[in-house]
Amino acid sequence: MSAESTVPRRTTAQPVRSVRARIVAGPDAGRVAALEDERIGVGTAEGNALRVADRTVSRYHLELRREGARIEVRDLGSTNGTHIGPVLVRHGVVSVAPGTEIALGDTRLVLEDGEYVVQRLAEGDQLGGLRGKSRAMRRLYAEIDALAQSDVSVLLVGESGTGKELVARALHDLGPRAQGPFVTVDATTLVPTLYASELYGHERGAFTGADRRHVGAFERAQGGTLFLDEIGEVPAPLQAGLLGALERRSIRRVGGRDEIAIDVRVVAATHRDLRAAVNAGTFRLDLYYRLAVVALEVPPLRERASDIPLLIEHFLREAGYEGRVDALFPPDVLAALGAHGWPGNVRELRNAVERAIALGMPPESIAPHGSDDVDALFEGRYREARRAVLDDFERRYLARLLERTGGNVRAAAREAELDRTYLTDLLKRHGLKP
């Protein structure tokens, strides 16, 4: 990381309209919640901006978020759902106007415009390995700068390929633990029976095949940061042990007797909404509290499409490309890329740039969405054309497969009848790692 990127950056203030929720019926009638932010969580659990005592409301029932002149209502997989007039919303999103009344259990809310509040946006277009100058990214930079100086646990929430590990590294590199180790544990790659060994280590002879002592991730991260990637994939039976280690700030190697004190900052990440998993009973509420002292959302690429030209230029230079950017990405191609949904987010864009360099043609020509694209492939070399068609098929197939299985790699491998390791490699190659 460059010296410039480690210096806390200047911020500018931007006024934004907040959301206010007023309870008009139910056990908490008369209560009002308004945040100095763009979102409000509603539910019975601690941590919600509007916490209610209604037993017919889920722990994390819904989230209200400002989206321009309208308010986005996001049901978080609640048990009884959210009613907006005659419409029942379960684990979905509806955009409404201020003044709308919504019902959750026996509670009814009226949504209103709140006061204008100040939001801090960092200056500049990069932070560590992150790139972007959109409002969403500048807000994220400001949040990272502030959190890096503390030692609280942070939960990073975002889709696959958005750069959650880069955010975790920035939190580490900008903080007082920068000289310590940064250790990553990816829950999607671990065999459940070896999860405890990877986190806490094991002694020689602890189990069959343990022919030597193994130092676990917590010990390797002493004095630094432990990044728990895809924490939502940790099986329920193993969550209690992780919670105990975090609460005691000590671990015991598998097969060992001694307690080992740990001094690490924990940053976790997930592509799932763990609040919905808490509602469903598949993720421990107390572990969620421990991990999500602060939750940061990493925006998907489709919500910051204005950053695509900057990202493309960065990836081209990073790959050693010395030609003109518009030779591979002319204005019409950039416009098409800006309208693309990018299910693999920034990782998918990087792969598209690397393919464009390798084939010497714009991405439109290597993504055969129509007859003209296919005809263009016939003019090239057989090997390149065949690879382009197969790549496009694999990207589309895998994106749909992940969508059907909710991003669960094990379930996806079973449905596609593919070896899990091979499927994981395919997902990484196409920028679709969940």
Side-chain angles (χ1 to χ4, degrees):
M1 180 178 293
S2 67
E4 179 182 359
S5 63
T6 61
V7 177
R9 58 216 61 245
R10 295 168 56 189
T11 60
T12 57
Q14 184 176 84
V16 295
R17 196 71 178 263
S18 65
V19 179
R20 183 168 56 201
R22 180 163 48 89
I23 301 179
V24 296
D28 302 278
R31 290 188 57 200
V32 178
L35 275 190
E36 294 185 0
D37 202 342
E38 296 172 283
R39 66 193 69 179
I40 291 177
V42 183
T44 62
E46 294 181 14
N48 288 293
L50 183 54
R51 188 182 182 191
V52 299
D54 187 348
R55 293 186 177 182
T56 62
V57 173
S58 294
R59 289 168 168 173
Y60 296 98
H61 199 105
L62 60 84
E63 181 179 77
L64 308 173
R65 182 180 308 194
R66 166 67 65 180
E67 289 290 339
R70 297 179 67 80
I71 300 171
E72 185 181 86
V73 180
R74 180 184 299 269
D75 183 272
L76 302 174
S78 64
T79 301
N80 294 323
T82 300
H83 285 83
I84 303 176
V87 178
L88 173 63
V89 182
R90 268 203 179 95
H91 215 144
V93 183
V94 177
S95 180
V96 300
T100 299
E101 182 177 290
I102 63 177
L104 50 158
D106 295 331
T107 296
R108 295 205 313 274
L109 308 174
V110 173
L111 308 183
E112 303 171 340
D113 284 328
E115 302 295 328
Y116 279 97
V117 296
V118 173
Q119 186 177 94
R120 308 303 301 184
L121 303 180
E123 295 184 356
D125 60 9
Q126 71 177 78
L127 179 64
L130 298 162
R131 296 293 185 278
K133 55 184 177 182
S134 60
R135 176 176 170 271
M137 291 303 290
R138 292 172 59 209
R139 177 184 180 184
L140 181 62
Y141 297 161
E143 292 172 326
I144 292 170
D145 272 330
L147 285 172
Q149 304 311 311
S150 74
D151 215 28
V152 300
S153 298
V154 178
L155 177 66
L156 306 176
V157 182
E159 297 175 10
S160 168
T162 50
K164 296 187 291 295
E165 184 167 358
L166 294 176
V167 175
R169 283 194 171 274
L171 287 168
H172 173 78
D173 291 341
L174 291 172
R177 294 179 177 268
Q179 301 306 312
F182 180 90
V183 177
T184 298
V185 175
D186 185 347
T188 63
T189 65
L190 295 178
V191 179
T193 54
L194 296 179
Y195 187 79
S197 173
E198 175 57 29
L199 279 182
Y200 317 125
H202 65 252
E203 298 289 355
R204 179 180 179 183
F207 49 83
T208 302
D211 57 355
R212 66 186 66 184
R213 171 183 285 180
H214 171 67
V215 176
F218 270 105
E219 283 189 80
R220 300 198 303 272
Q222 284 282 22
T225 300
L226 176 60
F227 177 49
L228 301 175
D229 198 8
E230 293 304 343
I231 190 68
E233 305 304 311
V234 176
L238 302 176
Q239 293 172 18
L242 176 58
L243 174 65
L246 296 176
E247 288 185 334
R248 296 189 308 270
R249 300 195 69 82
S250 67
I251 56 99
R252 182 185 298 169
R253 298 191 189 112
V254 177
R257 297 181 179 180
D258 298 330
E259 289 286 331
I260 302 170
I262 54 173
D263 174 26
V264 300
R265 182 184 194 176
V266 174
V267 178
T270 178
H271 72 284
R272 302 182 183 278
D273 192 328
L274 293 189
R275 296 170 298 182
V278 168
N279 289 338
T282 59
F283 199 86
R284 294 180 63 112
L285 176 63
D286 44 9
L287 180 56
Y288 177 78
Y289 285 153
R290 181 64 63 175
L291 294 171
V293 176
V294 177
L296 284 187
E297 285 200 22
V298 185
L301 185 56
R302 64 180 175 276
E303 292 183 4
R304 57 180 190 108
S306 61
D307 288 332
I308 289 177
L310 185 151
L311 288 166
I312 288 175
E313 183 173 4
H314 169 66
F315 293 146
L316 288 172
R317 301 312 178 208
E318 192 176 54
Y321 178 76
E322 298 179 353
R324 290 172 52 90
V325 174
D326 58 7
L328 288 181
F329 295 90
D332 59 328
V333 172
L334 286 178
L337 296 180
H340 181 54
W342 298 108
N345 291 291
V346 179
R347 188 185 293 120
E348 182 185 356
L349 176 61
R350 177 193 289 273
N351 290 349
V353 171
E354 291 176 352
R355 287 195 300 274
I357 295 172
L359 299 181
M361 60 178 71
E364 280 191 329
S365 301
I366 59 174
H369 298 300
S371 59
D372 291 341
D373 297 323
V374 174
D375 289 342
L377 290 173
F378 292 148
E379 305 299 324
R381 288 174 290 187
Y382 169 79
R383 180 178 299 177
E384 294 173 351
R386 181 176 181 274
R387 181 71 262 166
V389 173
L390 288 176
D391 279 350
D392 184 68
F393 161 73
E394 288 178 351
R395 284 194 305 276
R396 296 193 192 193
Y397 179 86
L398 295 172
R400 295 287 182 87
L401 180 65
L402 288 178
E403 183 178 348
R404 291 197 303 273
T405 58
N408 188 305
V409 177
R410 293 186 182 89
R414 286 195 301 268
E415 180 171 328
E417 297 185 1
L418 288 173
D419 177 79
R420 183 183 167 199
T421 301
Y422 177 66
L423 175 59
T424 300
D425 290 342
L426 281 178
L427 293 172
K428 289 181 179 178
R429 181 155 65 85
H430 290 291
L432 295 170
K433 176 178 173 295

